Amino acid sequence: MPIHNRIAAFHDEMTAWRRDLHAHPELAFQEVRTAKVVAEKLAAFGVDEIHTGLATTGVVGVIRGSEPGAGAIGLRADMDALPIHEETGAPYASTNPGVMHACGHDGHTTMLLGAARYLAETRNFAGTVYLFFQPAEEFGGGAEVMIKEGLFERFPADRVFGLHNWPKAPAGTFMWRTGPVMAAVAGIDITITGKGAHGAMPNLGVDPVLVGAHVITALQGIVARNLDPVDSGVISITWLEGGFAHNVIPETVRLRGTARWLSREVGDLLERRTIETAENIARAFGATAKAEFHRAYPATVNEPESTALARAAAIAVQGEARVAEMPRPTMGGEDFAFMLERKPGAYLMLGGGRGEDDPAVHHPKYDFNDEILPVGASWFATLAEQLLPRAARP
Ligand SMILES: [Zn+2]
Ligand SMILES: [Zn+2]
């Protein structure tokens, strides 16, 4: 692969770092060992400043170029794992039962470490590179917590960039997209209260199970009938809880699920109609519903100029043939969205697929493809060199 030669030269070392992180996965805001490993490596590479303890376990490295400059960019990787029991059978499989790097954040962290090593060694840029190693992407919005703790006041990047590996695309293929690239996320929580009764005498009660069934069905009418057919939105009720015996109508039923959308207007519509639908359907049956719509992550929206810069860096690393436009966004969520709300920037996908049967992220048999480590590291490094150019030499 036409990547930075200096980075290719330590591909084996990066693979060893990645597998070490893989063997020691940690959940959101508990990335204590991971943060320690990151900070130790940054120190060994000669990074100018290392700040730890942001959002509990976040780490920020600062590298200054060989020339002074007013420009600064932020490069971001996520560090957390998932509550999944690993089934890869890899020799470096998780040693932390029930916790697994099933989304490849071990790979993202390693790619940014690789870029840090190269940039600290070569410093072929003018200005400042901030390395943002964030906790808690999967749950808890670590990026938002870092921002609330003053990330951009302390480390004022002009633009921010990140990437996610994508096992369903060929290894080494970059995918870019302007505008929304991933969806906004909300949790739905509905409690329906009726009146408990004997299962044989429903007329003496108000059956919340039946109400719940009607609410679930009616909620599917929101996307189908209220949303402009050209817009995108999802409502999924994924969790249904209630009852305890064959012959008892319970007092309450709880429904939970998720909603996804790409634009603020659609998010507002889904929220308003979810609450109206649940409450009014319940009322029609003589029950009550308390519906909550908890917004978690905003949509991940790529700013056009930054996307063009990110694409140019990808072409410099992999060539035009392996850089493609994503035909449409995915409805998955991503907390880099919080950084993109504050700063212009872009979030790219980097294919990591080995073949048709490659498990998707969040699968117990998924494993990050080490082949793409130098590709991602080179992309981060190229962004720094292209966006923070040194003065032309006479
Ligand atoms: Zn994930
Ligand atoms: Zn992920």
Side-chain angles (χ1 to χ4, degrees), residues 107-126:
H108 303 163
T109 298
T110 302
M111 291 190 283
L112 190 53
L113 283 171
R117 175 169 167 176
Y118 169 86
L119 290 169
E121 182 190 320
T122 55
R123 298 183 188 256
N124 186 24
F125 61 95

Side-chain angles (χ1 to χ4, degrees), residues 91-171:
Y92 50 86
S94 171
T95 56
N96 187 0
V99 182
M100 176 189 176
H101 268 299
C103 204
H105 299 182
D106 47 350
H108 303 163
T109 298
T110 302
M111 291 190 283
L112 190 53
L113 283 171
R117 175 169 167 176
Y118 169 86
L119 290 169
E121 182 190 320
T122 55
R123 298 183 188 256
N124 186 24
F125 61 95
T128 310
V129 172
Y130 298 117
L131 311 159
F132 300 143
F133 293 90
Q134 74 146 85
E137 190 285 320
E138 299 285 0
F139 317 99
E144 185 184 30
V145 178
M146 284 176 99
I147 291 165
K148 283 187 173 156
E149 290 183 5
L151 181 74
F152 291 132
E153 287 74 32
R154 293 175 68 186
F155 311 105
D158 306 324
R159 296 177 191 273
V160 292
F161 298 92
L163 62 73
H164 205 291
N165 81 99
W166 205 248
K168 290 294 168 195

Side-chain angles (χ1 to χ4, degrees), residues 315-334:
I315 290 172
V317 174
Q318 288 297 70
E320 199 129 13
R322 286 204 276 186
V323 179
E325 183 172 6
M326 262 173 91
R328 41 193 194 165
T330 98
M331 298 307 272
E334 164 59 57

Side-chain angles (χ1 to χ4, degrees), residues 200-260:
M201 304 166 199
N203 53 305
L204 301 179
V206 175
D207 181 3
V209 177
L210 177 66
V211 178
H214 278 272
V215 169
I216 292 169
T217 307
L219 288 175
Q220 292 311 314
I222 297 173
V223 170
R225 301 289 83 179
N226 298 143
L227 191 60
D228 183 323
V230 178
D231 285 332
S232 296
V234 183
I235 292 177
S236 293
I237 296 300
T238 55
W239 188 347
L240 183 52
E241 213 176 71
F244 46 87
H246 284 93
N247 55 358
V248 179
I249 292 171
E251 190 90 1
T252 63
V253 160
R254 196 167 170 197
L255 314 176
R256 280 177 273 190
T258 188
R260 309 284 169 118

Side-chain angles (χ1 to χ4, degrees), residues 294-351:
H294 301 287
R295 294 187 187 222
Y297 295 175
T300 304
V301 181
N302 282 341
E303 182 266 329
E305 198 182 321
S306 302
T307 309
L309 295 166
R311 175 174 173 264
I315 290 172
V317 174
Q318 288 297 70
E320 199 129 13
R322 286 204 276 186
V323 179
E325 183 172 6
M326 262 173 91
R328 41 193 194 165
T330 98
M331 298 307 272
E334 164 59 57
D335 89 337
F336 189 59
F338 289 109
M339 295 198 184
L340 290 178
E341 274 192 334
R342 305 310 196 284
K343 298 284 178 182
Y347 191 71
L348 265 54
M349 302 293 172
L350 172 56

